[in-house]
Amino acid sequence: MKSKFRELETKELPELVNLRKFIGVGLVVTGLAMGTGELILWPHLAVKYGLGILWGALLGITLQFFINREIGRLEAATGESFFTSSSRFFPFLAIFWFISAFVLYIWPGWATTLGTILQELFGFGNYLMWSWISLAIVLILTFLGKTAYSILEKALKIIVPVFFVLILIITILSFNLDNFVLALKGLINFGWFPQNIDLEVFLGATVFAGAGGLLNLAVSLWYKDKGIGMGSYAGKITNPITGKTEAIPATGYRFETTESNLKKWQKWIKLITLDQGLIFWLLGLITLTLVSLNAYTILTPLNLVPEGLDIAITQANIFGVYWGEFGYRLFLVMAFFMIFSVMWTVLDAFTRIISDILYVNSQDGPYQKPLKFIKKFSIHQLYYGLITIFVVINAILIPLREPLIFLTLSSVLGGLVMALYLPLILYLEYKILDKKIRAGFITQLVLFLGFIFYLGFSIYLIIN
């Protein structure tokens, strides 16, 4: 049995010609952040404990900017996913990533939330019916596109800017200078906690201010599908029904660090930094702050705390106060689109992770023999087949709700995998990348401090 992956093949680093063509992954991760931290976790915390805790959001999203950029760096240099690169040196990680993905993302929490929103919006049916309809729409949209990624990104290019503009308008209408100053101070109020804060929820919100868990690692799969750097040789996952499929290599490539390639490399790194810095970090942080500020300004006088299954419905009052019934329903519509995009993105990431692990390890490496039955399927067939199966599993699990023990395990595991892969990122850069294209000292320091933070979070959760 072959014990190792084949060596990275040497090829010329492609030239970055069209900047606009390759921008977009940051928007996908921002959509994840807006539908989780912005709409669910941080408004809840802001109303309950005040704006002085927003420093946790700044800390979390900043750490994730560095993580996402370094995941992008590894993909751009090799054209491989992080799951493949890490399995090159630690084969057992393929099994770990596989199991972790299931534990973290098989639960249909987003579908349940969408069901409650649509039930409130339309005034008939029940959350179960609307949850199933939401899941069905994901499948329909997935199979409409020629490539798995393109239609998701196109949808988010509409949803994210529209949501941001609406939040900006509401901020102007509800502007309160004292609260605005409180929010700004809260962003730099590092280490401050109100006495009665639920520390588990706060730490969880900080850890997942952005994507969190394995979703940050899925950035490598989205960049690969867009053809960033050496990913230009990797090919795209294409709908085997509506699109023309292409052969997808199981492993990646490397390039010589010649003067010509280094000039091209600087352009790719600037692209990734711009994508994650301007779109994910800046746009995400501003939106998160404004949504929390509006929730605090408008909901606190009404004695409304967004929590539980009605967390989005309660926040509809943010628009309702100024625009009446129309505003109330408009917020529900936008909340639906934002959370729907999260569910769709998570299902896409989950399916990509599982498909990538199964496909790569059936073609190469130490698990070829036990996975030989997978070898007859292309990556295209695996992706579209698995996303159908996962949607059906989600639909079956909705009536059961998520068992508390699995939700707790999911939260702990999310922090643990992040604590694991931060030092792993640095290790892989050392082993795979020429020192001329590795991260600098500041980035290395931030990732190390992030490792301490995520590890501490996980240990705290386990003890409690």
Side-chain angles (χ1 to χ4, degrees), residues 13 16 37 79 128 179 203 207 219 267 273 307 343 384 420 423:
L13 178 66
L16 172 58
L128 196 57
N179 289 346
L203 287 172
V207 167
V219 165
K267 293 179 182 178
T273 303
E307 55 191 346
M343 180 176 73
Y384 283 89
L420 169 67

Side-chain angles (χ1 to χ4, degrees), residues 23-25 27-28 149-157 226:
I23 288 284
V25 173
L27 198 67
V28 173
Y149 175 82
S150 62
I151 195 166
L152 172 62
E153 185 185 297
K154 287 174 183 176
L156 284 166
K157 281 181 178 178
K226 279 189 76 73

Side-chain angles (χ1 to χ4, degrees), residues 49-120:
Y49 304 112
L51 297 170
I53 58 169
L54 284 179
W55 61 271
L58 175 59
L59 173 65
I61 203 167
T62 301
L63 282 174
Q64 289 198 33
F65 158 72
F66 283 97
I67 293 170
N68 294 349
R69 189 180 64 177
E70 294 317 301
I71 294 296
R73 183 191 301 271
L74 282 165
E75 184 284 325
T78 64
E80 285 188 339
S81 74
F82 186 85
F83 306 98
T84 302
S85 295
S86 58
S87 298
R88 280 184 171 277
F89 301 95
F90 307 99
F92 69 90
L93 283 177
I95 299 171
F96 176 76
W97 301 135
F98 187 89
I99 295 172
S100 298
F102 268 96
V103 175
L104 284 168
Y105 305 120
I106 200 63
W107 310 107
W110 305 120
T112 305
T113 305
L114 289 169
T116 62
I117 291 173
L118 291 179
Q119 183 183 351
E120 174 74 11

Side-chain angles (χ1 to χ4, degrees), residues 156-220:
L156 284 166
K157 281 181 178 178
I158 299 171
I159 294 169
V160 171
V162 169
F163 184 77
F164 178 76
V165 169
L166 288 172
I167 287 297
L168 205 56
I169 293 170
I170 285 294
T171 303
I172 295 169
L173 291 173
S174 67
F175 186 77
N176 179 300
L177 182 60
D178 291 338
N179 289 346
F180 185 73
V181 171
L182 279 177
L184 292 179
K185 287 181 177 178
L187 286 169
I188 57 173
N189 199 21
F190 289 98
W192 179 83
F193 294 102
Q195 287 185 340
N196 61 337
I197 193 168
D198 185 335
L199 200 54
E200 286 91 344
V201 176
F202 172 79
L203 287 172
T206 302
V207 167
F208 299 110
L214 294 181
L215 296 176
N216 296 93
L217 302 186
V219 165
S220 64

